[in-house]
Amino acid sequence: MTRSNKNRRKVRWGRLFGALLLIGIIIVGLFHIFQYIEGTIKAVNQPLKKVERKQTFQGEKNKLDAINVLLLGSDSRGEKQARTDSIMVAHYDPQTHKIKLISLMRDMLVSVPEHGQQKLNAAYSFGGPELLRETIKENFGLDIQYYASVDFKGFEKAVDLLVPNGIEVDVPYEMSHGIGMTLEKGKQQLHGKELLGYVRFRHDRLSDFGRIQRQQEVISKLTDEAVTLHSVVKLPKLLGLINKYIDTNIDGSTLLTIGKDILMKKSRDIETIRIPEDGSFQNKRDEVLGDVLEVDFDQNIEALNNFIEAKSSVQNEAQKE
């Protein structure tokens, strides 16, 4: 056999191998897409987890308007009156595709219906998401249509599923007290359990203020991870975690509408605010409740309304044109 024939045979085998490899990639890709579609359809057709309560969540829903979702991090530990470590409201506008995140300080002194002056997170202990919704409405005038209470174990599992290699954070100092672990100072990759400790830590000079900053940081980074291709194929498993670890009244179609905007990067950037804002509260010591934040409600209601109604500079310029 001549050298030229050998070369042609090598070329043909090389082309054949390349073609088989390409076909294999396509088949694997189609298989994952099929799994994604099939799993998503099954997840949407199944009702999301609902926990029977003495009270139902009474937020009025209108699919044409912007919606507010009460986001809660719950540490039940088997207790009947669960605590909530984090209280946030996610504001989503289907017209602008914008997502805004409102963090509410749990130690704010507020009026809780039928319970008088209490810390904000006490409303959840007394009456679950519904009483907390009523409390936020009464004190800040904010309507909330949906809620999602995330069990801490669910947070850990969701992080490990979405970002198996962890998320890089810059730990400002050693964190250990009250989180069941020790996080060393410096940049490092944190996985689900460690990341939960990072967002829960509050025993420093910033207390809850620092914790809220870390919560907003982690949510922003998780959102960035959610738009990647490898996370899209995990959507059915993520919906499965929702059914197991999240108590919510959000219907599947609403969840997918918001998720679609995130995946298409329409809602990539999340704007954040903390209530109470700087200069609008005083630290007080209550004989019964302990340390509380005495809030200027008028100032914070105005700040909250301005934050929700504000449009981005890009949108303002587009409207001018």
Side-chain angles (χ1 to χ4, degrees), residues 98-202:
K98 284 289 182 181
I99 294 178
K100 300 184 178 184
L101 192 63
I102 304 161
S103 294
L104 300 170
M105 300 289 289
R106 66 179 191 170
D107 289 339
M108 286 190 293
L109 187 62
V110 297
S111 175
V112 179
E114 299 183 9
H115 293 275
Q117 294 290 297
Q118 301 283 347
K119 290 184 179 182
L120 179 62
N121 69 336
Y124 183 82
S125 298
F126 292 142
E130 169 57 19
L131 184 58
L132 184 54
R133 181 197 69 81
E134 293 176 11
T135 301
I136 294 172
K137 169 68 174 177
E138 179 173 312
N139 290 270
F140 297 98
L142 183 64
D143 288 315
I144 299 175
Q145 294 77 33
Y146 299 98
Y147 75 91
S149 180
V150 184
D151 180 86
F152 285 157
K153 181 60 66 174
F155 174 85
E156 293 179 21
K157 289 184 175 295
V159 170
D160 288 337
L161 174 63
L162 191 62
V163 279
N165 294 325
I167 288 180
E168 183 180 277
V169 299
D170 190 0
V171 181
Y173 30 70
E174 180 182 290
M175 298 179 176
S176 59
H177 186 70
I179 59 175
M181 69 189 75
T182 298
L183 299 177
E184 302 295 340
K185 177 182 178 180
K187 289 185 178 181
Q188 53 198 289
Q189 297 289 126
L190 298 185
H191 295 82
K193 186 175 182 180
E194 292 79 17
L195 201 62
L196 178 62
Y198 176 72
V199 299
R200 292 192 66 194
F201 183 75
R202 62 175 296 193

Side-chain angles (χ1 to χ4, degrees), residues 47-94:
L48 296 179
K49 178 183 174 185
K50 303 284 178 65
V51 175
E52 291 185 3
R53 299 184 183 277
K54 293 181 180 180
Q55 294 177 320
T56 57
F57 202 75
Q58 299 293 333
E60 296 184 3
K61 305 173 186 65
N62 186 338
K63 292 186 177 181
L64 297 177
D65 295 334
I67 62 173
N68 293 315
V69 182
L70 182 62
L71 303 177
L72 307 168
S74 176
D75 184 17
S76 63
R77 301 180 184 178
E79 303 167 1
K80 290 183 179 180
Q81 291 184 324
R83 300 176 298 167
T84 177
D85 260 22
S86 61
I87 303 173
M88 298 181 176
V89 177
H91 175 82
Y92 169 73
D93 190 333

Side-chain angles (χ1 to χ4, degrees), residues 261-291:
D261 277 359
I262 294 176
L263 292 173
M264 295 180 68
K265 302 184 180 181
K266 291 181 178 180
S267 302
R268 183 72 175 269
D269 297 324
I270 298 179
E271 300 175 42
T272 62
I273 190 175
R274 188 203 71 219
I275 297 296
E277 66 175 358
D278 290 340
S280 69
F281 65 91
Q282 291 183 334
N283 292 291
K284 296 287 186 178
R285 180 71 181 178
D286 186 272
E287 293 183 0
V288 177
L289 303 177
D291 294 329

Side-chain angles (χ1 to χ4, degrees), residues 11-30:
V11 171
R12 288 172 184 170
W13 276 112
R15 289 177 179 175
L16 179 60
F17 177 78
L20 289 175
L21 180 61
L22 179 60
I23 292 173
I25 293 172
I26 293 174
I27 291 175
V28 171
L30 289 175

